[in-house]
């Protein structure tokens, strides 16, 4: 292996000089060149930008992909420059399971048909989520990652170079100060044996030797000052570019919010369509404040209300519930799954786990049955019942 011995020795000497200067600064034994206030503000602003960008980036990753194993897998595929295998997300998988369950239970049953509708909605929600994740990764995560792995690494590299140039500058200042002090002492009290630098010939006077040393140290100081000023200007320009980074991240943040808005709007529309299919309407809580659930049971849709279209259909019908008579055949027993409070006198209130007799009459909506309990009678929602016979 080919070694450049001179360069190796020179680099080792520079490293040792910097280490001595750095140690002296830490112990307060040597002077340190301070940066101007504006430069310090730029450094502080850059550090703050890096720290908060890193936190926002990491937390956004957690928001978009809560599974840490999946995040690690995506990171490895990205580093290997390979495409992450496409897999169904949780919503798509849930929808698939629901539709498979409907096939097993029977798509013609109330539960099976509802599973099909809900499963299809969940799959659409999963597709919307997939699109949102892809959009957010491109429009928001990628720019943040590019800053952390690109611009910030360049800034950090130039800052390290600037710190090295400062150490060199302060070492040159200390060397010049020391040489001037030795020169003044040699001029005042000549002592050839004690004041002579070890590498000079014995015939030279101490004063002349130290004058030469002062000139050499002054030249090194001028070179170090020039290199420091040049590196400080390069670093300053990079730090001032943080303002442009903020503008870029602001634009990306707006795109992220727009992607979230579109995603949640799409989810709302899917759920609204599902509620219509199930005979529900979106503003159920505001539209029917009188409906509530007792503590004995809970509805599969929280405090869901009765179908609006079904209620209006019966109200506009000439059929009167008190005039309805049970058919000779076709009555069935049903177990009540959840508590239900009647919205009006045409409906029958229910208690979870009780048994009632149910039947249908011509002209009644398929989401409703007529229920009887003793001498009480009224309309009851099918989704609150389990038909037994």
């Amino acid at each position: 292996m080919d070694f450049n011995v001179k360069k190796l020795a020179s680099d080792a000497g520079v490293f040792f000089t910097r280490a001595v200067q750095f140690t002296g600064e830490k112990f307060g034994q040597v002077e340190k060149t301070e940066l101007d206030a504006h430069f310090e503000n730029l450094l502080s602003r850059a550090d703050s930008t890096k720290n908060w960008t890193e936190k926002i980036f990491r937390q956004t990753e957690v928001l978009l992909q809560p599974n840490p194993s999946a995040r690690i897998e995506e990171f490895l595929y990205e580093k290997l420059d390979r495409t992450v295998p496409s897999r169904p997300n949780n919503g798509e998988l849930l929808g698939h399971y629901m539709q498979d369950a409907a096939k097993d239970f029977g798509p013609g049953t109330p539960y099976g048909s509802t599973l099909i509708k809900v499963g299809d909605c969940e799959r659409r929600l999963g597709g919307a989520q997939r699109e949102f994740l892809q959009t957010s990764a491109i429009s928001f995560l990628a720019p943040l990652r590019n800053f952390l792995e690109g611009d910030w690494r360049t800034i950090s590299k130039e800052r390290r170079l600037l710190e090295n140039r400062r150490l060199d500058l302060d070492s040159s200042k200390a060397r010049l100060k020391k040489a001037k002090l030795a020169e003044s002492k040699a001029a005042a009290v000549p002592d050839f044996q004690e004041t002579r630098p070890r590498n000079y010939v014995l015939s030279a006077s101490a004063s002349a030797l130290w004058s030469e040393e002062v000139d050499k140290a002054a030249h090194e100081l001028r070179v170090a000052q020039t290199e420091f000023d040049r590196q400080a200007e390069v670093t300053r320009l990079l730090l001032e570019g943080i303002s442009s980074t903020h503008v870029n991240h602001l634009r990306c943040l707006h795109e992220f919010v727009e992607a979230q808005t579109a995603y949640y709007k799409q989810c709302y529309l899917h759920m609204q369509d599902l509620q219509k299919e199930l005979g529900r309407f979106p503003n159920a809580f505001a539209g029917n404040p009188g409906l509530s659930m007792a503590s004995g049971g809970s509805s599969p849709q929280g405090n869901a209300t009765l179908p609006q279209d079904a209620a209006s259909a019966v109200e506009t019908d000439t059929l009167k519930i008190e005039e309805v008579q049970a058919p000779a055949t076709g009555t069935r027993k049903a177990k009540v799954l959840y508590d239900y409070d009647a919205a009006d006198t045409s409906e029958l209130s229910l208690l979870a786990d009780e048994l009632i007799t149910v039947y249908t009459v011509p002209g009644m909506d398929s989401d409703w049955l007529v229920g009887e309990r003793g001498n009480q009678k009224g309309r009851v929602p099918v989704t609150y019942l389990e038909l037994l016979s």
Side-chain angles (χ1 to χ4, degrees):
M1 186 178 293
D2 185 18
F3 286 103
N4 189 331
V5 179
K6 289 184 178 180
K7 185 177 184 304
L8 185 62
S10 176
D11 291 344
V14 171
F15 176 80
F16 179 75
T17 302
R18 290 171 180 171
V20 170
Q21 176 65 27
F22 181 79
T23 304
E25 291 174 359
K26 289 299 182 182
F27 286 98
Q29 299 173 349
V30 295
E31 296 180 358
K32 174 182 178 181
T33 299
E34 299 293 340
L35 301 172
D36 60 81
H38 176 63
F39 202 99
E40 291 289 354
N41 288 336
L42 290 176
L43 290 174
S44 176
R45 188 164 179 250
D47 289 335
S48 179
T49 300
K50 182 261 182 182
N51 292 334
W52 285 113
T53 300
E54 196 169 45
K55 289 180 180 180
I56 292 173
F57 176 78
R58 300 303 178 197
Q59 192 57 37
T60 304
E61 279 190 322
V62 174
L63 173 68
L64 299 180
Q65 178 52 269
N67 189 338
S69 300
R71 292 200 302 274
I72 294 175
E73 181 186 40
E74 292 174 358
F75 174 79
L76 294 176
Y77 273 102
E78 180 183 351
K79 292 302 179 183
L80 295 174
D81 197 19
R82 297 177 59 184
T83 304
V84 181
S86 179
R87 297 187 181 91
N89 57 32
N90 292 331
E92 293 170 330
L93 198 59
L94 175 61
H96 180 72
Y97 286 163
M98 285 183 172
Q99 292 183 334
D100 285 350
K103 295 177 183 178
D104 190 21
F105 298 147
T109 63
Y111 185 37
S113 63
T114 303
L115 277 173
I116 292 176
K117 295 176 183 178
V118 177
D120 181 65
C121 180
E122 292 296 336
R123 295 181 68 172
R124 282 182 285 157
L125 291 174
Q129 182 187 31
R130 181 184 299 277
E131 182 179 352
F132 165 63
L133 297 182
Q134 292 174 348
T135 303
S136 299
I138 295 173
S139 64
F140 190 61
L141 282 183
L144 298 186
R145 182 187 294 110
N146 291 339
F147 168 73
L148 294 172
E149 298 181 356
D151 296 348
W152 181 253
R153 288 185 179 180
T154 302
I155 291 174
S156 300
K157 177 183 176 182
E158 297 301 328
R159 286 177 66 175
R160 288 193 296 270
L161 287 175
L162 178 63
E163 179 65 11
N164 289 337
R165 296 291 180 263
R166 187 197 61 74
L167 290 173
D168 294 341
L169 175 61
D170 290 338
S171 296
S172 298
K173 289 180 180 179
R175 191 158 46 247
L176 178 60
K177 183 178 180 181
K178 182 178 180 180
K180 286 183 176 181
L181 180 62
E183 181 187 26
S184 62
K185 289 175 63 177
V189 184
D191 188 342
F192 183 73
Q193 294 298 326
E194 294 185 5
T195 60
R196 182 186 71 248
R198 67 178 61 179
N199 293 328
Y200 290 113
V201 294
L202 297 178
S203 59
S205 68
S207 179
L209 292 177
W210 281 115
S211 295
E212 185 177 342
E213 183 71 14
V214 168
D215 293 339
K216 181 181 178 182
H219 173 71
E220 291 179 354
L221 176 60
R222 287 192 296 271
V223 173
Q225 185 70 56
T226 301
E227 292 180 349
F228 173 78
D229 292 340
R230 183 186 301 114
Q231 185 60 38
E233 184 62 24
V234 171
T235 308
R236 184 190 302 273
L237 292 175
L238 289 173
L239 294 175
E240 289 175 347
I242 290 293
S243 297
S244 300
T245 299
H246 286 187
V247 173
N248 182 41
H249 288 180
L250 175 62
R251 178 183 57 81
C252 297
L253 185 60
H254 278 279
E255 293 180 0
F256 178 62
V257 172
E258 291 176 0
Q260 275 190 311
T261 303
Y263 167 61
Y264 290 124
K265 180 179 179 181
Q266 194 172 5
C267 291
Y268 173 76
L269 293 177
H270 287 326
M271 295 306 299
Q272 194 176 42
D273 292 340
L274 176 62
Q275 285 184 317
K276 290 179 180 179
E277 288 186 44
L278 297 179
R280 303 295 192 265
F281 55 96
N283 57 343
F285 298 104
N288 291 276
L291 295 185
S292 62
M293 290 296 169
S295 59
S298 60
S299 169
Q301 298 188 15
N303 293 336
T305 60
L306 292 182
Q308 182 186 33
D309 53 353
S312 60
V314 175
E315 289 174 357
T316 56
D317 200 349
T318 56
L319 179 68
K320 293 183 179 180
I321 197 67
E322 61 270 12
E323 298 177 356
V324 173
Q325 298 296 325
T329 58
T331 60
R332 305 175 65 177
K333 289 291 184 181
K335 179 182 178 181
V336 178
L337 300 176
Y338 318 101
D339 291 353
Y340 174 70
D341 292 335
D344 53 47
T345 57
S346 68
E347 298 176 1
L348 180 65
S349 294
L350 303 174
L351 293 176
D353 297 328
E354 70 173 333
L355 296 177
I356 62 173
T357 301
V358 295
Y359 53 88
T360 184
V361 294
M364 178 170 282
D365 189 277
S366 59
D367 288 331
W368 295 84
L369 293 172
V370 176
E372 290 187 358
R373 181 180 55 236
N375 58 356
Q376 296 178 323
K377 179 168 53 177
R379 293 183 301 114
V380 293
V382 174
T383 52
Y384 282 68
L385 304 174
E386 178 185 355
L387 300 178
L388 301 177
S389 60

